[in-house]
């Protein structure tokens, strides 16, 4: 019975996915990024240096320094907001997702991940600007924002905002399912390799799912502050470890680097027959796989990471927007690119063309093989540490995104009563973490792709409609930095705008 239900879900999702990730969505994603690039005068290029100098560089310098809170609003630091957001984006999509894109769409899919990321840098910037501009705070001083807020109060289409909140809840569940599924699959594969037996692989998956669910529950209960602190500790460690190992592997196969780039560019605009002719993928499929996995990885256009950024202590929407530029750059141009080059240089063009790409779970198998081939048993063990960390931080970040979507959706209820639907969501979220560990992997990927596409649609529509406002807020910020006397555009609400303006003038909260 359970198998029949899964088969029905798989077939229904396949039909829906073909529409959700059809040409209209792809054109909307690229078109939105192009429009925002034009209206901000290619901000992701012009201000990239400033995005580094005003975000990650001063934050790294200030690590370890304590900062006093003024008690006016309950928020998290810029770095904790960034860490939470990047933990939501840096997950299995950066390793297994990239490998899956190459296996199913060919090496050319990597170029489309880069293209989506280039425009995604300014798309994510715009999301953060609008997220902070339209965010609200509750009676306890907690700041909350996201796509549903700027759709409701910026575009003033509350009906679309509620739809966006529902899609966010579904995307949170789907994203969590993929992460858990890949943790259990990879650790099960590691167990099989190290013990030489696959007899207990399903039991291993179930145990992993239960353990991940239990640990996640403890962190999720603590809310955004605990999530932010955990993310700010894990993200730098896991990212640095992966970068070092990837660079070692790539340098070891330096003679294949040129070949790898050649595959990426030559296969991006041509028919690609993979698997020795078993499967044929057209130009459209290459784009779809690259775009879908790119969005899955960096989340630009989904309106997800802005939920974490909106809880930041910063008062300037543009400053947090610049964090978004760096976030997408780091996620795709650094982590995803290293994965792609590590994969292609490790196995080479000949090996890639001779592989049977029809096997289920091949993405997890090949991802682990990429590490074990380069580093032996140490690589297997290290991969079994890195991947769960990548995936786990994504799980806890998306729990917060789903929670905020539930709060918004039930906004008509009294504030003290909203905790009941939120609690129900958290319980279901944790239970589904355990369940997802044993589900057929491709089904989980496909459902998550569909949910991501659905979540992106209302957000992208709003970004197009409010692109002029993004440009206006951006110009206001940089004109003020040049010394022009202008009224700061910090919030859409006069009372909060005045409060934030006073904060900046007093220098209590804004990091310079």
């Amino acid at each position: 019975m359970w198998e029949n239900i899964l088969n029905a879900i798989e077939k229904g999702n396949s039909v829906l996915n073909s529409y959700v990730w059809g040409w209209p969505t792809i054109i909307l994603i690229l078109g939105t990024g192009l429009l925002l690039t034009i209206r901000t005068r290619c901000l992701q290029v012009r201000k990239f240096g400033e995005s580094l100098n005003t975000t990650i560089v001063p934050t790294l310098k200030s690590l370890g320094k304590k900062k006093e809170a003024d008690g006016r609003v309950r928020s998290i630091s810029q770095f904790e907001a960034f860490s939470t957001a990047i933990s939501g984006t840096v997950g299995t999509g950066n390793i297994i997702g990239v490998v899956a894109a190459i296996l199913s769409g060919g090496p050319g899919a990597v170029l489309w991940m880069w293209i989506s990321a280039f425009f995604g840098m300014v798309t994510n910037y715009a999301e953060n600007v609008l997220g902070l501009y339209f965010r609200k705070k509750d009676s306890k001083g907690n700041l909350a924002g996201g796509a549903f807020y700027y759709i409701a109060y910026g575009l003033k289409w509350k009906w679309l905002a509620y739809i966006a909140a529902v899609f966010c809840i579904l995307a949170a569940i789907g994203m969590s399912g993929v992460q858990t599924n890949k943790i259990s699959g990879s650790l099960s594969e590691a167990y099989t390799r190290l013990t030489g037996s696959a007899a207990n692989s399903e039991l291993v998956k179930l145990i992993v799912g239960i353990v991940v669910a239990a640990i996640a529950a403890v962190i999720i209960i603590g809310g955004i502050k605990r999530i932010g602190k955990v993310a700010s500790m894990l993200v730098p460690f896991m990212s640095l470890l992966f970068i070092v190992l990837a660079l070692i592997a790539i340098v070891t196969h330096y003679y294949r680097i040129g070949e790898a780039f050649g595959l990426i560019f030559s296969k991006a605009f041509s028919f690609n027959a993979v698997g020795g002719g078993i499967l044929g993928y057209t130009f459209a499929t290459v784009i779809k796989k690259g775009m879908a996995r790119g969005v899955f990885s960096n989340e630009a256009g989904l309106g997800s990471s802005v939920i974490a950024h909106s809880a930041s202590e910063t008062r300037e929407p543009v400053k947090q927007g610049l964090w978004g530029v760096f976030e997408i750059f780091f996620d795709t141009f650094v982590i995803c690119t290293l994965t792609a080059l590590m994969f292609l240089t490790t196995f080479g063009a000949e090996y890639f063309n001779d592989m049977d790409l029809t096997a289920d779970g091949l993405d997890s198998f090949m991802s682990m093989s990429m590490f074990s081939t380069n580093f032996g048993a140490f690589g297997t063990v290290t991969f079994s540490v890195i991947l769960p960390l990548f995936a786990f931080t994504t799980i806890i970040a998306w729990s917060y995104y789903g929670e905020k979507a539930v709060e918004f959706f039930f906004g008509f209820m009294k504030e003290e009563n909203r905790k009941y639907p939120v609690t129900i969501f958290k319980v279901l979220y944790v239970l589904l973490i355990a369940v997802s560990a044993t589900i057929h992997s491709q089904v989980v990927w496909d459902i998550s792709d569909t949910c991501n596409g659905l979540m992106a649609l209302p957000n992208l529509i709003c970004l197009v409609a409010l692109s002029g406002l993004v440009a206006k807020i951006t110009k206001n910020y940089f004109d003020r930095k040049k010394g022009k006397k202008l009224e700061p555009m910090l919030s859409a609400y006069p009372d909060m705008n005045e409060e934030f303006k006073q904060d900046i003038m007093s220098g209590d909260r804004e990091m310079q």
Side-chain angles (χ1 to χ4, degrees):
M1 180 181 175
W2 175 242
E3 187 175 344
N4 291 334
I5 293 174
L6 280 179
N7 287 335
I9 292 174
E10 185 174 6
K11 289 179 181 178
N13 179 74
S14 179
V15 174
L16 182 58
N17 186 275
S18 65
Y19 289 102
V20 172
W21 279 106
W23 278 110
T25 301
I26 292 173
I27 291 172
L28 183 59
I29 290 174
L30 292 176
T32 302
L34 180 60
L35 175 65
L36 289 167
T37 297
I38 293 171
R39 300 207 74 159
T40 61
R41 295 185 296 122
C42 207
L43 178 137
Q44 69 268 52
V45 176
R46 286 191 307 112
K47 299 297 181 180
F48 182 72
E50 183 157 352
S51 76
L52 297 180
N53 293 330
T54 61
T55 56
I56 196 68
V57 172
T59 298
L60 291 175
K61 289 180 179 179
S62 67
L63 288 179
K65 297 179 181 179
K66 291 186 177 180
K67 192 177 180 185
E68 298 297 325
D70 63 7
R72 274 174 285 192
V73 294
R74 296 173 64 185
S75 56
I76 58 177
S77 72
Q78 287 179 292
F79 184 65
E80 287 175 342
F82 165 75
S83 295
T84 302
I86 199 71
S87 69
T89 59
V90 176
T92 59
N94 296 78
I95 303 178
I96 296 181
V98 173
V99 171
I102 294 173
L103 293 177
S104 58
V110 177
L111 179 62
W112 288 99
M113 291 181 72
W114 290 340
I115 291 173
S116 70
F118 175 77
F119 292 113
M121 289 166 74
V122 74
T123 300
N124 202 43
Y125 165 82
E127 290 173 349
N128 288 351
V129 168
L130 293 175
L132 268 72
Y133 191 68
F134 288 103
R135 63 182 172 174
K136 287 179 172 287
K137 63 177 179 176
D138 60 23
S139 59
K140 296 179 181 178
N142 295 299
L143 291 167
F148 16 90
Y149 281 85
Y150 51 74
I151 292 173
Y153 302 107
L155 194 58
K156 300 188 185 303
W157 289 3
K158 286 199 172 182
W159 61 273
L160 187 60
Y162 286 123
I163 291 175
V166 172
F167 288 161
C168 180
I169 295 169
L170 294 175
I173 294 171
M175 188 69 78
S176 171
V178 169
Q179 308 303 322
T180 309
N181 190 269
K182 292 309 173 184
I183 292 176
S184 65
S186 298
L187 291 182
S188 175
E189 177 66 26
Y191 171 83
T192 299
R193 288 178 182 233
L194 295 173
T195 63
S197 172
N200 298 315
S201 60
E202 290 303 313
L203 178 60
V204 170
K205 289 181 180 180
L206 180 59
I207 293 173
V208 169
I210 293 173
V211 172
V212 171
I215 298 174
V218 174
I219 299 173
I220 290 169
I221 291 171
I224 183 61
K225 284 186 175 292
R226 186 177 297 174
I227 291 172
K229 290 187 181 303
V230 171
S232 65
M233 290 186 291
L234 291 181
V235 168
F237 166 75
M238 67 185 188
S239 299
L240 183 61
L241 179 59
F242 173 77
I243 289 170
V244 170
L245 291 178
L247 287 174
I248 291 173
I250 294 168
V251 170
T252 301
H253 301 96
Y254 68 92
Y255 51 90
R256 288 180 179 160
I257 294 177
E259 178 186 88
F261 279 105
L263 283 170
I264 291 171
F265 287 100
S266 66
K267 300 296 185 181
F269 300 98
S270 63
F271 181 83
N272 181 35
V274 294
I278 294 174
L279 293 175
Y281 289 91
T282 61
F283 175 51
T285 304
V286 177
I287 296 177
K288 177 181 175 180
K289 293 299 180 181
M291 293 289 291
R293 289 291 178 262
V295 171
F296 180 92
S297 174
N298 60 49
E299 298 176 20
L302 295 191
S304 53
S305 64
V306 61
I307 299 173
H309 284 288
S310 296
S312 166
E313 66 184 355
T314 186
R315 303 305 189 238
E316 290 279 7
V318 171
K319 289 191 74 172
Q320 202 65 31
L322 293 174
W323 276 102
V325 172
F326 175 74
E327 178 185 322
I328 302 302
F329 172 80
F330 180 76
D331 176 272
T332 304
F333 287 106
V334 177
I335 303 295
C336 288
T337 298
L338 286 175
T339 299
L341 291 177
M342 184 179 179
F343 181 71
L344 293 173
T345 57
T346 296
F347 299 111
E350 266 183 44
Y351 188 74
F352 175 77
N353 289 329
D354 290 337
M355 286 160 46
D356 175 12
L357 305 181
T358 61
D360 176 48
L362 188 63
D363 50 5
S364 295
F365 174 81
M366 292 306 299
S367 297
M368 180 164 288
S369 295
M370 181 171 65
F371 278 80
S372 61
T373 299
N374 284 291
F375 305 105
F378 172 77
T380 300
V381 173
T382 305
F383 180 79
S384 300
V385 172
I386 291 177
L387 189 79
L389 287 178
F390 270 50
F392 184 72
T393 53
T394 300
I395 290 171
I396 60 176
W398 274 89
S399 72
Y400 177 71
Y401 300 164
E403 176 187 335
K404 292 291 117 179
V406 170
E407 281 186 2
F408 179 86
F409 188 82
F410 290 93
F412 61 87
M413 299 175 66
K414 290 184 178 179
E415 196 170 297
E416 62 271 18
N417 292 333
R418 289 178 210 160
K419 62 182 180 181
Y420 299 114
V422 168
T423 300
I424 292 172
F425 167 78
K426 286 182 176 180
V427 171
L428 289 174
Y429 190 86
V430 171
L431 290 175
L432 287 170
I433 288 175
V435 172
S436 299
T438 58
I439 297 177
H440 173 59
S441 64
Q442 190 56 47
V443 174
V444 179
W445 270 119
D446 292 342
I447 290 175
S448 185
D449 275 346
T450 301
C451 292
N452 286 348
L454 289 172
M455 186 177 174
L457 291 175
N459 179 57
L460 292 169
I461 291 170
C462 187
L463 290 178
V464 170
L466 299 181
S467 60
L469 179 60
V470 173
K472 187 177 180 181
I473 295 171
T474 302
K475 187 175 186 303
N476 176 274
Y477 173 77
F478 287 111
D479 281 349
R480 283 188 286 117
K481 284 202 69 175
K482 293 176 182 176
K484 292 185 179 181
K485 301 297 182 181
L486 300 170
E487 182 69 14
M489 296 181 69
L490 310 175
S491 174
Y493 320 110
D495 55 337
M496 285 182 64
N497 195 74
E498 186 60 32
E499 177 188 338
F500 290 169
K501 185 171 71 172
Q502 293 303 318
D503 290 345
I504 292 176
M505 289 176 64
S506 63
D508 287 339
R509 303 280 295 193
E510 194 66 26
M511 294 174 65
Q512 300 297 336

